[in-house]
Amino acid sequence: MSESETPVPTSPEPEETAAADAADMAAPADDVAAVEPAEAAETPSAPAPEPAADDASPEASAKEAAEPAAAEAPAADAPETEAPAAAAPAPAPSPRPRPGRPGPTPGGAPSPAALAGRKPAAPLLPAAPSVTEYDAALLAEAKTFGSVTEDGTVTVQDGTQVRTLGEAGQAQGVDPDTALDPFARAYLDLVAFLDLTEKKLSTTGHTHNELNRLLENLRKNMKEPQVVGDVPALRARAHELREKAKAQIAELESARTAARQEAIARRTAFVESIEQLVATPPEQISWKSAGETMRQMVPTWKQMQSEDVNIDRPTEDALWKRLSAARSTFDRHRKQFFSQLDERHEEAAAVKEQLIARAEEMQDSTDWGPTVRAFKDLMAEWRAAPRGGRKKDDAQWARFKAAQDTFFAARNADLEASESEQRENLVVKEALLAEAEQIDPTKDLDKAKDALRSVQERWEAAGKVPRGDMRRIDDRLRSVERAVKDAEEAEWRRTDPRTKARVEGASSQLHSAIAGYEEDLEKARATGDPARIAKAEAALEARREWLAVIERSARDLG
């Protein structure tokens, strides 16, 4: 499989992620629907008749939702006391006719053309049970921030400036309170929108895109909102919510970065494990296991792509190139190794063929001792020979062992045939030992020597005995032989003329010395000196003992 055939994960680049996030920001939130400022500020152009109240029903509110996701949001996200999704239009004076716009019909009611040309107001909140009434105190408080000029223009105190509410803020011929009413309701709608946004941000488990949608909705709805109320307070609260959403986005980004780093570390470790396997010396590799590992390399990489966190494209491309290079190196090493292995196997087979030929030449030999030693040497050469292929090695070993078994089977059969004979020889030799152990060389040495010689001749003629008994009976015969030899050496020393002459000479010298020491003793006694007397007596006694030993030796010599 080439590198181009293996899919490389399409991890989004930072620029791609930003583009996707921007697209998600433009889409409606799952729980908060965006409302264009112009749509929020648009008010009825004339007092609506009673039947128009149907537009404020739950069904009408759901139809007026600008995005499908808003209609799918659970109703539980908005409490029953929150502001309605779309405020019911209150009676208001009809604006002055403008070029290109249909004017009011007689009687103060808007014309059908005017009603048909009006855009339905998109709800600020997800679809929820409609609230048909607003808190009068909150409405009154909100109206304190607005005013109506003499020409019917509605303005709002937006911080330090007074801001006109655009074309929708033209209300001539009605009292200021009635003119401000829809804008105050729109303000309470924004408050409800911020309440729901805060509630949404207080929960966990938001995705990056959801938080971006919340930020986009905050941006749209708080950009010069066409409402009457404490707009700076709304902006301050919206700012806090934006910061909270940004903090959550930062946490998600941090977690995403950490997850990507961990994914990079895991994939790098996997790549390094493959590279380490490839760097192993070929003679130390288990090629079967290593081959399976390399076969699973691409499926493992694809599994990491599909199950792990996406990483950036340059890093993943670099890791894949390392994997591809390692795989190519592994394939090259494997081809080289097995090519050399085939050559070594051929050499090993040639060496072992020679050993087999020599073994087959000796298999019929009956010269047991030398052939056994030759087979032992041949076996040592076989062990030292290089190893070949398993099948070839097994076949050659079977032939070599067959020749070896043929020889040793014949040898064992011969040994078994001679075993009974050896046991009979053992009986004969044990009888000879009993005879030899009766010889007493101290009584008659010559007779003892003749008897031992007779035993030795019959011993050799008796033949071999079982190997386990050989040493035992040989040691017993050696004991008899040593006793006769010791008696022979003692007799020789006793009858040696030179020894006798040396004994007689020593005896004569000691007799002369003893006579001299006796004279010294007499002289010492004449002086009466105890020390001199004791010394002379000791010297004389020592010479007499020496003489006794020599005379005893002379008697032994005859």
Side-chain angles (χ1 to χ4, degrees):
M1 183 174 182
S2 65
E3 180 181 347
S4 61
E5 294 172 346
T6 304
V8 178
T10 56
S11 303
E13 294 292 328
E15 294 79 10
E16 298 172 354
T17 305
D21 292 345
D24 292 336
M25 289 168 60
D30 294 337
D31 295 315
V32 181
V35 179
E36 294 295 338
E39 296 172 1
E42 190 166 349
T43 57
S45 57
E50 287 301 327
D54 293 340
D55 295 339
S57 65
E59 293 79 2
S61 298
K63 291 179 181 180
E64 291 172 358
E67 300 296 339
E72 296 173 2
D77 287 346
E80 295 180 358
T81 57
E82 290 179 348
S94 59
R96 292 172 296 180
R98 297 181 183 275
R101 292 176 62 114
T105 58
S111 66
L115 290 175
R118 183 188 308 153
K119 292 169 60 180
L124 291 173
L125 303 176
S130 300
V131 179
T132 57
E133 296 183 357
Y134 290 88
D135 188 290
L138 295 179
L139 282 174
E141 182 181 357
K143 292 176 183 179
T144 59
F145 291 87
S147 60
V148 181
T149 61
E150 293 180 357
D151 61 355
T153 301
V154 178
T155 62
V156 62
Q157 186 69 34
D158 190 350
T160 58
Q161 63 177 345
V162 176
R163 181 164 51 85
T164 301
L165 296 185
E167 295 181 0
Q170 300 295 328
Q172 292 182 344
V174 296
D175 63 282
D177 186 74
T178 302
L180 293 175
D181 190 69
F183 299 98
R185 292 185 180 184
Y187 171 80
L188 295 182
D189 286 345
L190 277 181
V191 172
F193 162 71
L194 295 181
D195 289 341
L196 186 57
T197 301
E198 182 176 10
K199 180 180 178 182
K200 187 69 176 178
L201 289 175
S202 65
T203 60
T204 57
H206 298 299
T207 65
H208 192 280
N209 291 338
E210 289 174 349
L211 293 172
N212 277 331
R213 292 190 191 104
L214 289 178
L215 286 175
E216 179 64 11
N217 289 333
L218 284 171
R219 183 190 66 79
K220 289 181 177 180
N221 292 334
M222 297 309 301
K223 183 180 180 181
E224 295 187 357
Q226 301 297 301
V227 298
V228 170
D230 191 352
V231 176
L234 283 181
R235 288 200 179 99
R237 188 178 176 195
H239 176 73
E240 293 178 359
L241 295 176
R242 279 194 297 271
E243 294 301 318
K244 187 173 181 180
K246 290 177 181 179
Q248 292 186 15
I249 291 175
E251 291 178 1
L252 290 176
E253 286 292 342
S254 177
R256 178 185 296 180
T257 301
R260 285 179 176 174
Q261 293 300 323
E262 292 175 0
I264 291 174
R266 284 190 292 272
R267 299 196 198 182
T268 302
F270 173 69
V271 173
E272 290 175 349
S273 68
I274 297 297
E275 291 175 337
Q276 184 177 3
L277 174 62
V278 174
T280 304
E283 62 276 5
Q284 298 179 8
I285 291 181
S286 174
W287 290 100
K288 182 177 181 181
S289 174
E292 181 62 25
T293 299
M294 298 303 291
R295 280 190 291 272
Q296 294 300 322
M297 184 191 76
V298 173
T300 301
W301 183 260
K302 289 182 177 180
Q303 184 178 5
M304 297 176 75
Q305 287 178 321
S306 61
E307 297 180 359
D308 210 344
V309 179
N310 289 335
I311 62 176
D312 60 283
R313 177 66 64 82
T315 300
E316 190 151 20
D317 287 347
L319 290 175
W320 172 249
K321 288 179 180 179
R322 289 171 60 183
L323 274 182
S324 180
R327 182 174 57 183
S328 299
T329 303
F330 177 83
D331 291 340
R332 184 174 66 255
H333 288 176
R334 182 173 55 183
K335 291 178 181 178
Q336 293 175 352
F337 175 81
F338 282 103
S339 176
Q340 297 172 359
L341 187 63
D342 290 341
E343 296 177 0
R344 291 198 299 269
H345 285 176
E346 292 176 0
E347 295 175 0
V351 171
K352 291 182 178 180
E353 282 295 330
Q354 297 176 0
L355 297 178
I356 292 171
R358 289 165 56 189
E360 291 174 344
E361 289 177 0
M362 297 188 299
Q363 66 182 355
D364 297 325
S365 173
T366 56
D367 191 4
W368 309 123
T371 309
V372 167
R373 289 190 292 272
F375 263 108
K376 287 182 179 179
D377 295 339
L378 205 61
M379 189 65 191
E381 293 183 46
W382 184 277
R383 292 193 182 99
R387 296 183 60 181
R390 181 180 293 276
K391 293 183 179 180
K392 185 70 173 178
D393 256 0
D394 291 345
Q396 289 183 316
W397 168 250
R399 292 169 56 197
F400 179 83
K401 191 173 186 303
Q404 191 179 50
D405 291 345
T406 299
F407 168 77
F408 282 102
R411 173 178 174 270
N412 293 338
D414 182 73
L415 291 176
E416 291 176 2
S418 63
E419 185 177 356
S420 59
E421 180 183 351
Q422 291 178 359
R423 285 196 294 269
E424 294 174 0
N425 295 342
L426 177 62
V427 174
V428 173
K429 287 191 174 183
E430 286 180 341
L432 292 174
L433 283 174
E435 180 182 342
E437 289 171 348
Q438 297 299 321
I439 298 174
D440 186 1
T442 60
K443 294 180 179 181
D444 189 344
L445 181 60
D446 292 335
K447 186 178 180 179
K449 291 167 64 176
D450 292 340
L452 179 60
R453 190 177 301 110
S454 174
V455 170
Q456 289 175 333
E457 290 174 355
R458 285 177 288 165
W459 184 278
E460 292 297 330
K464 295 181 179 181
V465 298
R467 184 180 297 275
D469 298 307
M470 188 180 297
R471 183 172 182 178
R472 176 178 60 83
I473 61 175
D474 283 347
D475 288 345
R476 290 174 63 185
L477 183 60
R478 297 289 89 80
S479 297
V480 176
E481 291 174 345
R482 280 195 301 271
V484 174
K485 187 175 181 180
D486 291 344
E488 185 179 10
E489 289 178 353
E491 181 64 19
W492 180 82
R493 287 193 302 270
R494 188 179 66 81
T495 59
D496 187 3
R498 291 174 297 179
T499 302
K500 188 174 182 181
R502 286 195 298 271
V503 170
E504 291 176 351
S507 177
S508 176
Q509 291 176 3
L510 282 175
H511 279 292
S512 300
I514 288 172
Y517 279 108
E518 287 177 347
E519 291 179 1
D520 291 341
L521 179 58
E522 292 297 331
K523 291 179 181 180
R525 287 174 178 171
T527 61
D529 186 357
R532 186 176 178 182
I533 294 171
K535 181 178 180 181
E537 289 177 347
L540 178 60
E541 184 64 26
R543 269 57 180 185
R544 287 175 178 173
E545 290 178 357
W546 293 354
L547 180 60
V549 173
I550 290 175
E551 289 177 345
R552 188 166 52 252
S553 297
R555 285 194 300 271
D556 292 340
L557 293 175

